[in-house]
Amino acid sequence: MFNDGFVDGLESAAKAVLPDYVYGYFAGIAGGGESVQDATELWNTVRFRPRSFTNYASLQTGTSVLGHAVDTPVLAAPMAQQNAATPLAEVAMARAVRDAGSLLGISTNTSVPFDQIASVGAPWWFQVYVMRDQGLSNALVERAAAAGAKALILTVETTRLTSAGLTIDPHFWPESPSKKRLGNLLGEDLVGLPSDATESSQNLSLDVIEELRDRTGLEVVVKGILRADDARAAVDAGAAGIIVSTHGGRRLGASVSSIAALPAVIQSVGNDCEVYVDSGIRSGVHVAAALALGAQAVFVGRPLMWGLAAAGESGAASVLAHFTQELCETMAGIGAGTISDLTPDLIA
Ligand SMILES: Cc1cc2nc3c(=O)[nH]c(=O)nc-3n(C[C@H](O)[C@H](O)[C@H](O)COP(=O)(O)O)c2cc1C
């Protein structure tokens, strides 16, 4: 099994400095955790069929996502509660991402005002949970667009950390700055609304894709898709991209893993939109596998959170650098000089 100890080392370092309830929330999984267990193991089962006759002067990891040039296909997943990892939260993450030439997702639940994130200068996509009071999520997407978000990520599953228990749900954390979330809603937004107004809506229709696009002028990438038919429906409804994701195994314990779901989604919509993948990606070898299978780029979640918790900006930077370096080594080994050379024939 591939394991150079890098991510495990960061996780141990993060665990040593985080309160138990914060570590528990970051590491948390749904149900019995079958999906999260499978995910990394399945990425580890990919085997390559290397090319022998290649001709390239240097290795290039640059690519583009929705037309935006990035230096690496290793992107930062939107994650809530980054202020519990390090006081600078998404500002630290964005600095690491900017310096790596990558791109980051910003969670609906960020505690940091959009203008502070935007001022770092990293490209960012705003992740939307459609709330029970849709006026609130509308206000958030408009503010994100005005602050310079380059696209929206519409997360289409409602995550519940079911069997992990209430003690790790941030709602039940002790009062502290680390509990703060929804930093871009104003006090007056919530006046007169029921207490569950910010919870995720239970009625999500495909129309929301076009509504969000019309409201902001931004492209919408749909996150959390695991089925070819859902991917097709989302693209037909106007999605510009699909993120195949199990939410890092936090959504459904016995879910299919994202690597197992990826090929059918690529086959269904790969010619019509960009497809990205996340969940369980723990090395640059996994990144090479995802791209060879047809993903345009990958999102990385917990490894970046561990880096952020263990060493702030430089910890997150070390993850992006490590994964990109391993990607380069893998590309050299399999005879792929550029990202576009990562094609399905390389997978055995
Ligand atoms: C602590 C934590 C918080 C997260 N918060 C969000 C969120 O607010 N919105 C969202 O769409 N995904 C969220 N995710 C899921 C990530 O975007 C991503 O899908 C997942 O972490 C990828 O799996 P990995 O952690 O195995 O890399 C969160 C994940 C973690 C670990």
Side-chain angles (χ1 to χ4, degrees):
M1 172 162 157
F2 179 91
N3 188 352
D4 65 359
F6 174 75
V7 175
D8 290 347
L10 275 182
E11 178 171 353
S12 301
K15 190 174 183 193
V17 296
L18 291 171
D20 284 351
Y21 55 87
V22 173
Y23 172 75
Y25 170 71
F26 289 169
I29 48 175
E34 303 88 327
S35 158
V36 82
Q37 230 175 34
D38 285 357
T40 303
E41 280 174 21
L42 281 173
W43 286 113
N44 280 329
T45 62
V46 173
R47 296 292 175 267
F48 295 99
R49 205 184 294 284
R51 297 186 184 111
S52 299
F53 301 103
T54 51
N55 179 19
Y56 48 81
S58 64
L59 287 164
Q60 308 285 341
T61 60
T63 183
S64 68
V65 283
L66 292 185
H68 189 93
V70 284
D71 295 335
T72 172
V74 182
L75 314 179
M79 285 181 287
Q81 242 68 49
Q82 295 186 28
N83 58 336
T86 190
L88 278 178
E90 280 84 348
V91 167
M93 185 73 90
R95 288 178 181 163
V97 162
R98 176 198 59 200
D99 293 348
S102 177
L103 175 148
L104 78 162
I106 293 294
S107 166
T108 279
N109 284 315
T110 181
S111 63
V112 182
F114 292 141
D115 56 355
Q116 284 181 29
I117 296 166
S119 69
V120 173
W124 56 288
W125 293 355
F126 177 60
Q127 177 268 323
V128 194
Y129 283 124
V130 175
M131 295 178 182
R132 290 198 189 167
D133 186 306
Q134 208 174 324
L136 294 177
S137 24
N138 288 344
L140 281 181
V141 295
E142 284 171 8
R143 287 169 198 166
K150 299 231 179 291
L152 299 176
I153 299 173
L154 171 66
T155 302
V156 292
E157 14 88 358
T158 311
T159 300
R160 291 195 192 83
L161 295 172
T162 41
S163 68
L166 295 179
T167 49
I168 62 162
D169 182 329
H171 284 104
F172 298 89
W173 288 359
E175 273 313 325
S176 74
S178 63
K179 189 175 169 175
K180 191 167 179 283
R181 60 185 199 110
L182 294 172
N184 292 279
L185 282 182
L186 311 172
E188 56 260 40
D189 292 334
L190 299 167
V191 173
L193 295 181
S195 59
D196 65 356
T198 60
E199 299 297 316
S200 292
S201 167
Q202 302 296 301
N203 310 308
L204 198 58
S205 91
L206 284 162
D207 298 339
V208 76
I209 296 171
E210 205 157 305
E211 279 171 36
L212 289 170
R213 209 175 54 178
D214 290 349
R215 183 169 290 281
T216 59
L218 298 176
E219 298 284 18
V220 177
V221 172
V222 178
K223 172 171 185 272
I225 297 278
L226 293 166
R227 299 173 54 102
D229 53 358
D230 279 347
R232 185 75 260 160
V235 171
D236 289 349
I242 298 290
I243 306 178
V244 176
S245 169
T246 64
H247 211 105
R250 294 161 78 82
R251 171 193 189 187
L252 172 70
S255 168
V256 64
S257 66
S258 54
I259 181 177
L262 181 64
V265 172
I266 299 267
Q267 199 179 4
S268 165
V269 298
N271 288 332
D272 303 325
C273 76
E274 292 186 355
V275 177
Y276 319 95
V277 64
D278 77 16
S279 302
I281 292 176
R282 296 291 177 266
S283 78
V285 182
H286 300 166
V287 180
L291 271 55
L293 285 166
Q296 181 75 13
V298 306
F299 285 88
V300 172
R302 289 186 193 81
L304 282 164
M305 196 69 113
W306 304 141
L308 203 62
E313 177 188 336
S314 68
S318 73
V319 174
L320 295 167
H322 191 85
F323 280 30
T324 304
Q325 177 57 29
E326 279 175 347
L327 169 63
C328 278
E329 286 163 14
T330 310
M331 287 168 67
I334 60 183
T338 65
I339 294 296
S340 57
D341 293 339
L342 290 167
T343 45
D345 55 283
L346 285 165
I347 305 283

